[in-house]
Amino acid sequence: MPVAGIIWSQFWIFLVLFAGVSYIGFIAPRWRAARSLEHLDEWGLGGRRFGTVVTWFLLGGDLYTAYTFVAVPALVFAKGAVGLFAIPYTIVVYPLVYLLMPRLWQIASNRGYVTASDYVNERFDSRFLALLVAITGLVATMPYIALQMYGIEVVLGQMGLPVEAALIVAFLVLAVFTYLSGLRAPALIAIVKDALIWIVVIVAIVYIPWHLGGFHNIFAKVPAENQTLAPGANAAYASLALGSALALFLYPHVMTGVFASQSRKTIKRNAAILPAYSFLLGLIALLGFMAIAASVKPNTDFGNNSAVPALFAQLFPDWFAGFAFAAIAIGALVPASIMSIAAANLFSRNIWRDYIRPQTDPAQEARVAKIASLLVKVGALIFILAVPATDVINFQLAGGVWMLQTLPAVFLALYVPWLNRNAVIAGWVVGIGWGTVMLAQESFKVSTHSVLGWNVYIALAAVVANVIVVVGGSGLAYALGWRPTHHLTASDYEPIAAPTLDRDPLHLEPQPS
C-alpha cells in the first residue's frame, strides 16, 4: 500500500508503548512463575490460577478486541443505528455466562479439560464429534486472528508506515512472546491494554464533543435516518444481538480465558462485573456518530474501518493520536495471542493427541501446541496480506455462523442428559450446511438472510434448525430405547470436596516422602 509519509510524532509514542508491552510479554513467565511451561495446563491455561481481577482483564481483552474498537464505530459510521446491536448483545451474554460457564468450568477443572472438545469427547463418548467441534473452532478462529492483525494494519497505515513490513515485525514480536510465555503474556498485557483503552475512550468522549460543539451539535449533524433503525430492520437487529450473544462464549479463545480461572466464584463475579465493558462499548460506538459530525474522510485503502483512526488523527494532537493508535494495536495483541493459544490447544489435544500420536506425553503435547501457535499466526499473517480486507471481514462473519452450531454439543449438553450423539452430529451437519448455503446466497457479504419473510441473523436461523434436529433426533432415539453413553456422572459437575481435591493433577510438585 502506498505510504503518504510517516508522521513521526505519532510513531515514536506508538513505538515506545508497543515496545513496553512487548517487553512485558517476554518477562511474563516470571509472573506467578509456572511449575513447568512444558505442560499444556501451564502454557495454555496459565496453571488455572487467574483470580477475579486478572480474569476480568483477560476476558475483557478476549471479548473487546482491537477490531471491536475499529469495526463497531465503523458500522455506526456507515450504517447508523443498526451498528449498535453490539451493545445489547454484550448485555444479554452475561446472564448466559452466569448460568452456563461455572458448570462447564467445574467439570473442566475436575476432569482436567483444556478445550471444549475435551468435554464433548467424554460427554458423548465420541472422538468424532469432538473433532467436529475442534475443526469448527479452528476454522472460526483463523479469520478472527487475521482481523486483529487487520486492526494493527489500519493504525499503521494511518501513521503512514510501510504497512506490510511493520505488520511482519509486529507478528514476529507476538509470535515469540506467545511461544515463550503462553497465556501468562496476554493475561499480563491485558491489564496494560485495558488501561490504555479506557484512557483513550474517556478522553475521546470528553474532548471530541467539546471540540465539535457538544453532543447536541453532533447528533444534529447525523442524518435522522442513521439514528434509528430502518423499517423492517428490527428482526435483523434483535437476531444479531441474540445470536452473537449465544455464539460469543463458544469461541475457543473465550473458553481458554474461562478455563484459566481459578474458581466458579471467579466466573460468577466476572459475569457480574464484565458489563462495565458494555458501557465502554457504548462510548466506543458513539465515535461513529462523531466521525460523521467531524466530516471524516476514511483512508481509501481501509474504507469505513479507518473512520476512528482518521477521527483521532484529525482531532487529537499528534502525540495523543500516537497514544490512541498504540492502544488499538496493543488491543490486538492480547486477543490475537489468546486466539492462537486456544487454536493450538485444540490442535494439540483434539487432533494431534487423539488422531496422530495417541501416546503423546504432557511435554510433547505442550511442544506441539507451541509450534501450532506459531503456524496459526503465520497462516493468519498470510491470510491478511493475501486476501482483500473486505473478504477477511466476510470470512469472520462466516466464522460466527459456524461457531454457533457447536451450541448443542457444548452448552445444551450441560443440562440435557438424554442427547444422542448421532443426533448432535446430524444437527451440526444441518446447521453448518444450511448456514453456509445462506451465506453463499448472500455472496458472503452480509450476515443476515430472509427466512420465512424475516431478515434475520444467519447463525441464529441455522442453530434453530440444528437444535430442532438434535432434540427431535434425541427424543426419537430415546423412545426407541437407545440410551446415551458417556464417561461422566452427576458428581463430575460438582465441586470436589477440599480434603480430596488434587491440586497437582499433573504431579509436577514434589511429593511428600
Side-chain angles (χ1 to χ4, degrees), residues 295-325:
S295 301
V296 162
K297 302 298 182 186
N299 186 306
T300 55
D301 291 322
F302 303 106
N304 292 326
N305 287 303
S306 66
V308 168
L311 175 69
F312 290 168
Q314 180 174 315
L315 297 184
F316 283 150
D318 281 348
W319 70 269
F320 193 77
F323 183 95
F325 296 156

Side-chain angles (χ1 to χ4, degrees), residues 127 348-362 364-365 368:
R127 286 196 310 161
S348 179
R349 269 295 182 103
N350 307 117
I351 296 178
W352 181 269
R353 191 187 68 173
D354 285 352
Y355 285 90
I356 299 174
R357 190 70 66 85
Q359 303 305 316
T360 298
D361 62 36
Q364 292 172 336
E365 191 176 65
V368 168

Side-chain angles (χ1 to χ4, degrees), residues 487-501:
H487 303 297
L488 305 177
T489 64
S491 62
D492 288 315
Y493 294 90
E494 300 299 327
I496 298 175
T500 61
L501 181 63

Side-chain angles (χ1 to χ4, degrees), residues 199-215 218 287 290 311-312 314-318 320:
I199 290 170
V200 170
V201 172
I202 290 171
V203 170
I205 213 69
V206 173
Y207 176 79
I208 295 176
W210 172 80
H211 193 278
L212 296 176
F215 278 102
I218 290 172
L287 295 174
M290 295 179 198
L311 175 69
F312 290 168
Q314 180 174 315
L315 297 184
F316 283 150
D318 281 348
F320 193 77

Side-chain angles (χ1 to χ4, degrees), residues 29 34 36-45 171 174-184 337 340-349 352 362-378:
S36 172
L37 284 176
E38 294 303 312
H39 290 79
L40 206 55
D41 226 43
E42 290 288 344
W43 182 84
L45 291 180
F171 155 78
L174 171 66
V176 173
F177 76 61
T178 301
Y179 183 91
L180 295 176
S181 304
L183 194 63
R184 283 172 174 78
S337 180
S340 67
I341 290 169
N345 289 345
L346 280 171
F347 179 82
S348 179
R349 269 295 182 103
W352 181 269
Q364 292 172 336
E365 191 176 65
R367 284 196 294 274
V368 168
K370 291 178 181 180
I371 295 170
S373 75
L374 295 177
L375 296 177
V376 165
K377 285 190 281 291
V378 169

